[in-house]
């Protein structure tokens, strides 16, 4: 009896499951039918859109043709007016009753007159898609500054349109212009959506995370201050349905005003040290906070912060102003992020334009943290991958003179961020390199007796594994910040090769310290010194090194110009070229003093 009851219960359960499956199947069939219907409607809409596009294109062509015909008609009319026979007729008609006027008119009509240029047919302009690259629609608009009643015309800093640090990651961002400028190069960024249209805008490229700043302007202010708005709740619900991580970033204002809204987010960060949330401080954004100069150069004046940044400037205009003065005298209490941004733009802070102090301040601003490093921290905290391109470095060190081995290895040992050292030199240099650089991967190759320096470098490039490759000369002196300063240029330039065209040199025989090309800092130039070369590995592999000891760098630079490879000259500091004598250098550089170059160069 119990078996019969159990079988009946199983049969009933199977019947229930069968019924549920049939119901789900019916629902699936209905959903499939709805999907087919939607697909048909979408296809019809696309067809109508294509028809409308075709019609719009035809209208543009017709309009262009009408404009051309109007220009032709105006040209014909202008040509008739300036024709000699027409001017003669006008002179005779106007001077018919006045002989003097007639004579003047005939003389004027006899003079040659430039005929108008016939119009050319132009192709119709087509509707262009909006450029979504970072900075494409984010450019300076105010080109005039006023100081003491005098007006100054500036050539604005051009905000770069990329590249993105993490092109695989998409973020929906609600932020004020300053924070948006810091974030826009860190990922693919969607902005400008409102509480009313986010459900239409965001599905066009579904984000991986939502970042909401404590904004002080715009359509989201009322949604996130006080009691959370329905638009914010709907946005967060939309993100929750799709597994999109949500982040609230408190950067300004009283945190209590945003507390209720912040509680709705999965993650909360703050810049305020008094708030018990995880820290996410501002960092400099290398794409816009960098020492690239204005094309018109700096004004020879020290400005106060109020003079430099009047209240009407947009943030792109602020980026122009940062690069303008000889120095900025900032009052006590200036926000740390403002001081860091000024310093990162190479602007001296204080009452005088000291380039040495400015360079040290720039270095410290980057050491305090870039926005790229801040976003690494954010992504690690919320559980998203922070993968991005690295600046790890291999060093190529050809040692042709055994007596220079100790000096050369000491120069490499000073550097930070060296992952690999390729030593090509005498046999004893391998063991010595392992002693001096115990934490660096050492790869040793013994050169052939007749091998040139260029051939040694060419053999070494295939052994390099890091993304960047540096060439160091055993004769020269390199400061401890040499490589870290030079690597920084890859964060804001679009060059494949970086080095120094401006540098200090020391000649032993006359004990002279020279400065080569002091105006060649932070610029794209035809060539840099080979002993300061830092390049992307793949670029060097494609070009290769000439089989020369003297002049291999000149051949390399010539090949870069031929192939259109960008070469960037960084700052003058951190390196000293050392020679016994050099007539070419004596004729091409400025004498600094008789004495050591290191106090000038190694800061």
């Amino acid at each position: 009896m119990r078996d019969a009851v159990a079988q009946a219960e199983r049969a009933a359960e199977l019947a229930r499951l069968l019924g549920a499956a049939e119901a789900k199947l019916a629902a699936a069939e209905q959903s499939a039918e709805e999907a087919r219907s939607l697909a048909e409607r979408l296809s019809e809409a696309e067809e109508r859109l294509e028809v409308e596009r075709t019609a719009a294109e035809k209208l543009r062509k017709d309009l262009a043709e009408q404009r051309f015909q109007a220009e032709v008609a105006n040209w014909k009319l202008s040509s008739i007016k300036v024709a000699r026979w027409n001017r003669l007729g006008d002179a005779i008609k106007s001077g018919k009753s006045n002989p003097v006027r007639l004579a003047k008119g005939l003389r004027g009509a006899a003079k040659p007159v430039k005929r108008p240029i016939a119009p050319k047919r132009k192709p119709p302009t087509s509707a262009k898609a909006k450029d979504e690259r970072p900075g494409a629609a984010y450019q300076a608009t105010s080109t005039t500054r006023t100081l003491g009643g005098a007006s100054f015309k500036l050539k604005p800093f051009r905000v770069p349109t990329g590249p993105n640090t993490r092109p695989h990651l998409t973020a929906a961002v609600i932020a004020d212009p300053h924070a948006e400028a810091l974030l826009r190069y860190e990922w693919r960024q969607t902005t400008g959506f409102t509480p009313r249209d986010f459900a239409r805008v965001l599905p066009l490229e579904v984000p991986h995370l939502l970042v909401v700043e404590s904004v002080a302007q715009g359509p989201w202010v009322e949604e996130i201050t006080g009691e959370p708005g329905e638009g914010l709740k709907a946005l967060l619900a939309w993100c929750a349905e799709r597994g999109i991580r949500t982040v609230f970033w408190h950067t300004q204002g009283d945190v209590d005003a945003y507390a209720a809204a912040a509680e709705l987010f999965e993650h909360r960060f703050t810049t305020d040290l008094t708030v018990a949330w995880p820290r996410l401080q501002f960092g400099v954004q290398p794409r816009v906070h960098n020492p690239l100069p204005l094309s018109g150069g700096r004004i020879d004046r020290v400005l106060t912060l109020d003079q430099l940044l009047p209240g009407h400037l947009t943030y792109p205009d602020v980026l122009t102003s940062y690069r303008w003065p000889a120095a900025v005298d900032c009052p006590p209490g200036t926000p740390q992020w403002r001081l860091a941004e000024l310093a990162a733009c190479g602007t001296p802070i204080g009452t005088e334009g000291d380039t040495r102090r400015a360079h040290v301040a720039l270095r410290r601003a980057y050491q305090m943290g870039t926005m790229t490093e801040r976003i690494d921290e954010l992504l690690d905290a919320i559980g998203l991958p922070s993968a991005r391109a690295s600046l790890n470095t291999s060093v190529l060190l050809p040692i042709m003179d055994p007596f220079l081995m100790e000096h050369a290895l000491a120069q490499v040992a000073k550097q930070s961020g060296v992952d690999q050292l390729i030593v090509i030199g005498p046999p004893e240099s391998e063991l010595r390199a392992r002693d001096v650089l115990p934490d660096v991967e050492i790869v040793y190759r013994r050169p052939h007796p007749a091998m040139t320096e260029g051939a040694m470098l060419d053999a070494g490039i295939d052994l390099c594994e890091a993304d960047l490759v540096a060439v160091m000369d055993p004769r020269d002196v390199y400061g401890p910040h040499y490589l870290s300063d030079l690597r920084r240029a890859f964060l804001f330039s679009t060059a494949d090769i970086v080095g120094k065209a401006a540098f200090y040199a020391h000649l032993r025989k006359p004990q002279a310290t020279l400065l080569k090309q002091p105006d060649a800092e932070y610029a794209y130039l035809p060539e840099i010194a080979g002993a300061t070369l830092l390049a992307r590995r793949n670029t060097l592999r494609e070009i290769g090194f000439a089989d020369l000891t003297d002049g291999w760098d000149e051949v390399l630079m010539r090949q870069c110009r031929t192939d259109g490879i960008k070469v960037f000259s960084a700052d003058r500091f951190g390196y000293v070229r050392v020679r016994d004598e050099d007539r070419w250098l004596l004729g091409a550089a400025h004498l600094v003093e008789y004495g050591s170059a290191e106090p000038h160069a190694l800061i």
Side-chain angles (χ1 to χ4, degrees), residues 138-143 145 156-159 314-318 320:
Y138 190 79
Q139 300 298 335
T141 57
S142 178
T143 59
R145 302 290 186 273
F157 170 70
R158 183 73 180 172
V159 178
T314 64
Y315 195 70
D317 296 316
V318 168
T320 297

Side-chain angles (χ1 to χ4, degrees), residues 354-426:
D354 187 330
T355 57
R356 290 167 56 82
R357 289 178 56 192
H359 181 74
V360 173
L362 183 153
R363 183 188 295 152
R364 287 175 180 166
Y366 274 81
Q367 288 173 346
M368 288 170 59
T370 65
M371 208 60 210
T372 299
E373 294 164 335
R374 298 284 189 259
I375 296 304
D376 284 344
E377 298 168 6
L378 168 68
L379 296 175
D380 289 341
I382 69 175
L384 284 177
S386 58
R388 57 183 173 87
S390 71
L391 295 179
N392 53 355
T393 307
S394 296
V395 173
L396 280 175
L397 187 65
I399 303 176
M400 303 189 73
D401 185 347
F403 293 102
L404 293 174
M405 179 187 69
E406 290 292 341
H407 173 79
L409 292 175
Q411 304 310 304
V412 180
K414 295 179 187 178
Q415 309 305 316
S416 61
V418 176
D419 297 272
Q420 184 189 40
L421 173 63
I422 314 298
V423 182
I424 305 175

